[in-house]
Amino acid sequence: MYNLNIATIAIIAANVIASLKGFNDTGFFERYKFSIGGIKGGQKDRMLTSGFLHVDMSHLFMNMLTLYFFADVVINWFGPIKFVGIYFISLVAGSLLALVFHKNEPYYSAVGASGAVTGILYTAILLQPDMRLGIMFIPIPLPAYVLGIGYLLYSIYGMKKRLGNIGHTAHFGGAMGGYVATLFFKPDLLVTDTMMVILLAVPIVILFIMEKLGKI
């Protein structure tokens, strides 16, 4: 049975309240969504506020459900304060990567907690890489690290091919934020779980090599 820590409740509540406001107030949604043009125009707050807005109820539900499943893993290791810290670090990291990769696209916009939630997910995987996770279409649960690496490789593919109406860049940036924050808070993982730290860094290295080569 999963527990709901007050920190998790607070983050879910903030997402629900902001998203519901955005559903019913177009002006509010447009002002606080992630927008390259708006950010370049000086509205830096969009890099944070956009992470609490969602397109619709299903978008909101899926992000909050994922957060619910993995928040306790992070809280049990780090406590609620560091959990919240990792959440916001991941959120901002997702926005920063999106800003870097889409800087020449003034009309690019995005919303959603996916970057922050992916950061929490990647943190949980780094802390407990042997968790067994199941996904649709694969009947046998797989080790968490396999799915984590696979998801980031898919995100790179999605970034390159511009697949769907999905913020692949923010997802990847969020995972990077969670990865770095986890090692900052628990640097002994570099010694106790060196191979896993290296494996989970592989997609990050691939992304930056591809970017340097102009392949993405």
Side-chain angles (χ1 to χ4, degrees):
M1 181 70 180
Y2 292 89
N3 297 315
L4 268 178
N5 186 278
I6 186 65
T8 310
I9 293 172
I11 288 175
I12 291 175
N15 274 276
V16 170
I17 292 168
S19 294
L20 291 177
K21 172 69 173 173
F23 295 159
N24 297 297
D25 186 339
T26 303
F28 178 86
F29 184 90
E30 292 295 323
R31 168 58 185 84
Y32 293 108
K33 71 180 182 181
F34 181 93
S35 163
I36 295 294
I39 293 168
K40 284 190 170 182
Q43 296 171 342
K44 309 297 186 187
D45 57 322
R46 290 174 180 265
M47 298 183 68
L48 185 66
T49 58
S50 59
F52 292 90
L53 296 172
H54 290 81
V55 173
D56 52 34
M57 284 300 297
S58 62
H59 186 206
L60 173 64
F61 176 75
M62 290 306 298
N63 274 335
M64 295 304 99
L65 183 65
T66 304
L67 179 66
Y68 167 74
F69 281 130
F70 294 99
D72 262 11
V73 175
V74 180
I75 292 171
N76 288 339
W77 279 81
F78 287 140
I81 294 176
K82 288 181 179 177
F83 160 74
V84 172
I86 293 170
Y87 185 91
F88 279 96
I89 289 169
S90 301
L91 194 166
V92 173
S95 292
L96 283 171
L97 193 66
L99 182 62
V100 169
F101 270 79
H102 300 286
K103 61 182 180 295
N104 296 321
E105 304 170 47
Y107 297 107
Y108 179 87
S109 63
V111 293
S114 302
V117 172
T118 304
I120 293 298
L121 170 61
Y122 219 63
T123 292
I125 291 173
L126 186 54
L127 293 170
Q128 295 183 194
D130 292 326
M131 286 187 297
R132 309 294 288 192
L133 301 178
I135 58 174
M136 290 187 297
F137 312 121
I138 300 180
I140 302 172
L142 298 173
Y145 73 90
V146 173
L147 291 180
I149 293 169
Y151 180 73
L152 287 198
L153 292 176
Y154 169 75
S155 294
I156 293 174
Y157 179 75
M159 291 163 65
K160 183 176 176 61
K161 297 295 185 180
R162 302 297 180 98
L163 291 179
N165 189 26
I166 299 172
H168 297 288
T169 314
H171 295 181
F172 199 101
M176 286 173 55
Y179 178 86
V180 172
T182 303
L183 294 179
F184 178 80
F185 289 134
K186 193 170 175 55
D188 58 289
L189 286 172
L190 292 165
V191 176
T192 62
D193 218 347
T194 307
M195 183 55 65
M196 197 56 60
V197 170
I198 292 172
L199 283 174
L200 290 171
V202 167
I204 299 173
V205 174
I206 290 174
L207 176 69
F208 281 96
I209 290 174
M210 290 181 67
E211 195 278 331
K212 287 295 183 184
L213 294 175
K215 299 295 185 181
I216 192 169

